[in-house]
Amino acid sequence: CRRLDDFMDSLLDTLECVPDVVGISVNYSTGHSSSLLLADRVKARWPEAKTVLGGIHVTNYALGIIRHPSVDFLIRGPGEIAFTRFLESLRLGNPPVGIPGVVDSPLSINTTGEPIGDINTIPRLPYELVDMESYLKHDSRCLLRKSDTRSISYQFSRGCCFNCTFCAGSTVHGRKVQIKNNDKVIDELRYLKNT
């Protein structure tokens, strides 16, 4: 069995470009150490690349994460608007500071990203950019799937009205449940099935 950093390096070796930005999603606290290790591996390979971490764990433990030397920025709270503005700021050559939800130091950890008002305005995910065969092969649900089926995760809604003591998901998407409209769901599922 290879060590985790060797595994990460083997995946990073597959990149055919030098990234300007590397985003790392940390939704669960169990991913804390491995996410920081990945940021370390990215910085060792591409010192000029900006590392940006986001997700539920990052939103709730921002102070501990932004102090890590390989982490350049965090996105706290909903990330669609904050991350888009972050990338646009970099594209224009401006420092991405003062953007709601973008943390660049311990002094700016109290910012939170703006939520999307209507999840139906989010464009269809670019599934064509996913190596679908690799995704299906390494999907954690593959042990539950029949060998003659193909499945992928799909998000019908966001937010949760429950108050479970073990979950911090509401700190990002709130307690109000937003549901995609039927036509959008049908259109996206048809696209996935046919493509």
Side-chain angles (χ1 to χ4, degrees):
C1 182
R2 293 189 302 179
R3 291 177 26 167
L4 183 57
D5 53 352
D6 292 335
F7 172 73
M8 289 177 178
D9 284 339
S10 71
L11 290 178
L12 295 175
D13 286 342
T14 64
L15 263 66
E16 298 176 3
C17 65
V18 175
D20 297 318
V21 176
V22 175
I24 301 171
S25 179
V26 194
N27 281 324
Y28 304 101
S29 299
T30 54
H32 175 87
S33 297
S34 59
S35 299
L36 295 180
L37 176 62
L38 179 56
D40 291 340
R41 305 311 300 162
V42 166
K43 280 297 187 182
R45 184 175 294 242
W46 303 297
E48 299 303 314
K50 303 292 183 209
T51 54
V52 186
L53 281 69
I56 296 168
H57 176 65
V58 172
T59 296
N60 291 289
Y61 192 57
L63 186 59
I65 297 170
I66 195 61
R67 290 180 171 152
H68 189 80
S70 295
V71 174
D72 296 311
F73 297 95
L74 308 178
I75 304 290
R76 287 193 70 235
E80 292 90 357
I81 295 171
F83 192 57
T84 301
R85 289 181 180 163
F86 170 84
L87 292 173
E88 182 66 10
S89 182
L90 289 180
R91 188 184 70 77
L92 296 172
N94 299 324
V97 296
I99 300 169
V102 176
V103 175
D104 65 328
S105 77
L107 299 176
S108 63
I109 62 163
N110 291 324
T111 184
T112 304
E114 300 172 39
I116 293 283
D118 178 3
I119 65 169
N120 291 294
T121 62
I122 300 173
R124 177 184 49 80
L125 296 175
Y127 291 102
E128 62 276 5
L129 299 178
V130 176
D131 178 349
M132 197 58 67
E133 297 312 313
S134 177
Y135 178 89
L136 292 170
K137 180 180 177 183
H138 300 290
D139 181 13
S140 63
R141 297 167 299 140
C142 67
L143 297 174
L144 304 174
R145 187 183 325 128
K146 293 180 182 177
S147 61
D148 61 341
T149 62
R150 297 166 58 86
S151 63
I152 187 169
S153 296
Y154 181 81
Q155 185 179 25
F156 290 90
S157 63
R158 144 179 313 187
C160 181
C161 62
F162 298 106
N163 196 17
C164 302
T165 58
F166 57 84
C167 180
S170 65
T171 60
V172 173
H173 297 300
R175 298 229 178 269
K176 178 184 174 191
V177 177
Q178 292 188 51
I179 300 171
K180 286 184 183 177
N181 69 47
N182 292 341
D183 291 337
K184 184 173 181 75
V185 170
I186 291 168
D187 180 59
E188 291 180 346
L189 291 177
R190 276 194 180 128
Y191 168 81
L192 285 169
K193 181 181 184 294
N194 296 331
T195 307

